[in-house]
Amino acid sequence: MSYFELKEPPRREDRLKACIAHGSTLGAVSHRRMRCCMPDKERSFTQNSICLLLPALGTMNTIPNSLVLMHGGLGCGSSCHGGNAAVRGGNTQRWGVVKDGRWLSTGLTEAEVIGGGEPKLAEAIIEADRRYRPEVIFVVASCVPGIIGDDVNGVVEQTQPEVAAKLLAVHCEGFKTKIWATAYDAVYHAIGRTLLPDAVAEKSDKKKPGKTVNLMNMSSMGRVDEIELERLLKALGFEVNIFPVFTDPSAMQRMAEADLSISTCPTHDDYMLNHLKEKYQVPFIIRHMPIGIKNTGKWLQDVADFFGLRQAAQELIAQEEAELAEALAPLKPLFKGKKAFSSAGEFRALSTAILLAELGFEVVGIRAFHHDEFAEVEYAKLAKLTGEDYPLNIANCQPFEEANLLRKIQPDVFLGHMNGNSTAAKLGIPTHVIYNTGLHYVGYRGAYELARRLYRQLKNPRFNANLSRFVKLPYQESWYQQNPFKYIGAAGGEEE
C-alpha cells in the first residue's frame, strides 16, 4: 500500500530508520559502525530541538494564493514572523512584488483543549475561506490536537463541500517524531493527496522521451540558486519546472507530466519522488546535492546520462570547471591550512564540507541534524577526500555538545544555519551562514560566491573575536573537559 493512501505520513524513524543521536568520527559512519545511532535512540540529557512545524511552514507559506490555518495554541507558528522575510524576498525575486505569507491560528483555549477543538476548527476554515478566498488552505495539525484527539482529517472532509478552497490536512504534531525532516514528507503528503491528478498518467512505451524535468526545491535553495541550476540544465536543452515552493497550486499537477524528476536535496525529496514514480511513472534521480565542484558535475552528468547526452554534459562541465578554477585561483591560497567546521541538515553539511575541502580548507568537524540511508555515499566521498579521524556529531541542535567540540577543535571558520551560529560566534570563531535564500550556494556560481564570502570573512575576523570578549556561554569549565558525546548511549557515555 502506498504511504499516500494513509491519512498522514509515517515517521522517518519508522520509514527510513533515521536517527538523531550519534557521536564518534567520520570514519565510523563511512564504515557503518554506528551502533548508537538507532531509531528513537536519544541522549540521557538533551538541551533542545526543533519542531517539525518550522520547516513545514517554510514551504507552505511560499505557495501563491494559499493560506495556512494552524490548529493549536496561539504560539504555534510564531516562527512565521521571522520566516516571512524569505517569503517576501522570494516573491520579489520571482515576480517583482512584495507579498507576505498568510497564516491564521485557531488559538485553542484551555476549555477547548478539555472539550475538543473540532467545532472551532470547522468554523475557522469556513471563515478563512469567506474572508480571504484562497485557492488552497493548509489545515495544519500541531501538538495540541494530536494530544487531545481532534480528528483534523475528518473536519477537513466534512467542511470541504462548504468552501471553495481546496483543503489540505498537514500533520505536524511535533511530539510524534524527533526527526523534524518528517515535515517535508508531511507537506508533500498533503500536496500529493489533494493537488495531483487522480488518474494515472498514460505513457506509451513507444513514445520518445522528452526533455522536461521537475527540479525539486523544498526550500533547499533560494531563487538565485534556482537560476544557476536552470542555466546549467537549459544549456543542455532541458525544459525546467520547479516544485513546490512558489508554485501556483493549479500548476502542481505538472509534476506528474514530466519526463524526469531531479532532487536537489535527497533529505527533502525522496517521499514525493517515489510517489511520482509509483503512481505516474515519472522516473527520478536522487543522487548527489549540487553543492561543490565535483558534486555539481556528478549531479549534472546523471541528468544528462538519463537522456543520452553524456558528451554534451562532459563538455559543459569541463568548460564550467575551467572557468571556476581560474576565478578561484586568487582566493585559495588564503584557505590553505585553515580549519573548517560544517553544521546543517545531513546532506547540506556533508556536501558543503566536500566543497570546503575542494577550496583547500582542512575539514575538522561536522554536525548533521539527523542521519538516514541517503547520505551514506556522501560520507564515503568525504572520507576519501579529507580522511576519517575527525569528529562527527549527529544532533538535532544540542548546542552543549557543539560548544564542547568547538572548544576542543578550535576551527578557523564555522558554517551553520543563521539561527545556529551563535555558539561558535560567542567562542570567537568566524562564522558564515550555510543557507540564506538571498545568497548563492549551489552549482558553480555557488562555489565561487561562497569562496568569495569566506575570503572576505577570514580577511577580517575581528567581529567574533571582539564578541567573545564580552559574551560568554553558560557552560561550566568542567563540561569542556569531558567527552562531548558523554550523554549519548553507546558512545562512551553514561549508558554504555
Side-chain angles (χ1 to χ4, degrees):
M1 181 179 72
S2 168
Y3 291 129
F4 281 75
E5 295 179 25
L6 304 173
K7 288 186 176 181
E8 59 184 281
R11 306 184 313 153
R12 288 205 173 189
E13 291 95 323
D14 300 325
R15 186 172 70 85
L16 296 176
K17 305 298 183 253
C19 70
I20 54 169
H22 180 74
S24 60
T25 65
L26 181 79
V29 182
S30 63
H31 296 297
R32 303 186 183 184
R33 296 192 302 270
M34 297 183 69
R35 60 194 179 97
C36 69
C37 200
M38 300 294 291
D40 284 327
K41 192 70 177 179
E42 186 49 289
R43 296 156 175 81
S44 56
F45 168 77
T46 182
Q47 191 173 13
N48 69 346
S49 183
I50 298 175
C51 172
L52 77 162
L53 186 58
L54 175 63
L57 290 170
T59 297
M60 290 185 291
N61 280 324
T62 71
I63 305 301
N65 199 22
S66 72
L67 182 143
V68 175
L69 175 59
M70 284 165 276
H71 185 41
L74 195 58
C76 290
S78 60
S79 63
C80 288
H81 294 284
N84 193 51
V87 177
R88 289 167 65 93
N91 281 310
T92 302
Q93 290 172 325
R94 287 165 176 81
W95 301 294
V97 297
V98 178
K99 191 173 182 181
D100 298 296
R102 295 187 296 186
W103 65 94
L104 305 173
S105 172
T106 54
L108 294 179
T109 64
E110 291 182 2
E112 287 152 354
V113 170
I114 295 171
E118 292 179 12
K120 191 171 189 179
L121 175 59
E123 181 182 348
I125 291 171
I126 293 171
E127 178 62 17
D129 181 72
R130 183 195 68 79
R131 184 178 300 185
Y132 297 100
R133 294 300 179 190
E135 187 175 348
V136 159
I137 298 177
F138 293 100
V139 183
V140 184
S142 62
C143 288
V144 174
I147 293 171
I148 66 177
D150 277 359
D151 184 2
V152 173
N153 286 76
V155 174
V156 165
E157 292 171 5
Q158 293 169 13
T159 312
Q160 181 64 82
E162 302 181 46
V163 298
K166 290 185 177 181
L167 304 180
L168 282 69
V170 184
H171 288 270
C172 291
E173 299 93 339
F175 67 90
K176 288 186 177 180
T177 175
K178 298 171 183 177
I179 309 296
W180 54 266
T182 302
Y184 307 121
D185 304 346
V187 176
Y188 272 139
H189 191 83
I191 291 172
R193 280 168 58 90
T194 310
L195 298 182
L196 295 188
D198 293 327
V200 176
E202 295 291 340
K203 292 191 176 183
S204 170
D205 293 336
K206 297 181 180 179
K207 179 184 175 182
K208 293 182 179 179
K211 295 176 69 174
T212 299
V213 297
N214 294 327
L215 183 63
M216 309 306 290
N217 179 12
M218 179 63 88
S219 301
S220 309
M221 54 187 177
R223 179 57 186 158
V224 290
D225 281 337
E226 288 179 351
I227 291 172
E228 167 69 356
L229 295 186
E230 283 182 301
R231 178 184 72 84
L232 295 171
L233 293 169
K234 288 181 178 180
L236 295 173
F238 299 121
E239 180 182 343
V240 181
N241 293 320
I242 299 172
F243 301 104
V245 296
F246 296 99
T247 301
D248 191 275
S250 62
M252 292 288 184
Q253 65 177 1
R254 288 185 295 155
M255 271 193 271
E257 300 167 2
D259 300 291
L260 178 69
S261 295
I262 317 167
S263 172
T264 54
C265 179
T267 294
H268 292 179
D269 299 324
D270 82 290
Y271 192 77
M272 177 58 89
L273 296 193
N274 276 291
H275 177 62
L276 290 173
K277 182 178 181 181
E278 290 172 3
K279 186 168 184 179
Y280 304 105
Q281 295 80 54
V282 179
F284 63 85
I285 296 175
I286 199 168
R287 293 186 299 271
H288 317 300
M289 187 174 189
I291 290 179
I293 302 169
K294 295 302 180 185
N295 264 349
T296 296
K298 290 176 180 178
W299 182 88
L300 192 59
Q301 189 71 65
D302 281 350
V303 180
D305 286 350
F306 179 85
F307 292 98
L309 298 172
R310 169 171 282 270
Q311 183 62 36
Q314 289 176 341
E315 292 173 1
L316 176 62
I317 292 167
Q319 177 185 341
E320 293 286 337
E321 289 186 354
E323 293 177 2
L324 178 59
E326 183 178 354
L328 290 175
L331 308 179
K332 292 178 73 172
L334 179 65
F335 304 150
K336 187 175 182 180
K338 292 286 194 302
K339 297 186 293 183
F341 192 111
S342 175
S343 171
E346 186 173 45
F347 237 90
R348 197 172 197 101
L350 294 171
S351 58
T352 301
I354 290 172
L355 171 57
L356 291 170
E358 291 173 327
L359 295 176
F361 286 92
E362 178 189 356
V363 178
V364 293
I366 292 175
R367 182 180 66 169
F369 292 156
H370 83 285
H371 172 71
D372 60 40
E373 64 189 58
F374 291 104
E376 289 177 356
V377 65
E378 296 302 301
Y379 285 108
K381 287 183 201 172
L382 190 58
K384 185 176 180 180
L385 187 62
T386 64
E388 303 180 343
D389 298 326
Y390 57 86
L392 168 75
N393 188 198
I394 307 294
N396 53 340
C397 295
Q398 311 305 335
F400 76 102
E401 290 177 356
E402 177 185 270
N404 186 312
L405 277 171
L406 292 175
R407 269 281 294 266
K408 286 180 168 63
I409 297 171
Q410 290 294 310
D412 297 294
V413 65
F414 176 91
L415 285 83
H417 280 277
M418 64 181 72
N419 56 356
N421 280 348
S422 61
T423 299
K426 291 174 183 177
L427 288 170
I429 300 166
T431 60
H432 187 70
V433 64
I434 206 167
Y435 171 67
N436 182 314
T437 56
L439 298 178
H440 293 269
Y441 297 92
V442 165
Y444 300 108
R445 177 70 182 270
Y448 171 74
E449 291 293 342
L450 179 64
R452 186 177 66 86
R453 295 194 300 268
L454 288 174
Y455 183 87
R456 295 175 62 188
Q457 184 88 18
L458 291 171
K459 273 288 189 180
N460 184 11
R462 292 180 61 84
F463 174 79
N464 287 5
N466 290 335
L467 181 67
S468 67
R469 294 169 52 201
F470 302 102
V471 181
K472 301 300 179 183
L473 293 171
Y475 312 113
Q476 296 183 5
E477 189 63 31
S478 59
W479 166 240
Y480 294 112
Q481 309 308 316
Q482 298 182 56
N483 177 0
F485 310 130
K486 170 182 172 65
Y487 296 103
I488 301 177
E494 294 183 337
E495 299 177 16
E496 187 172 36

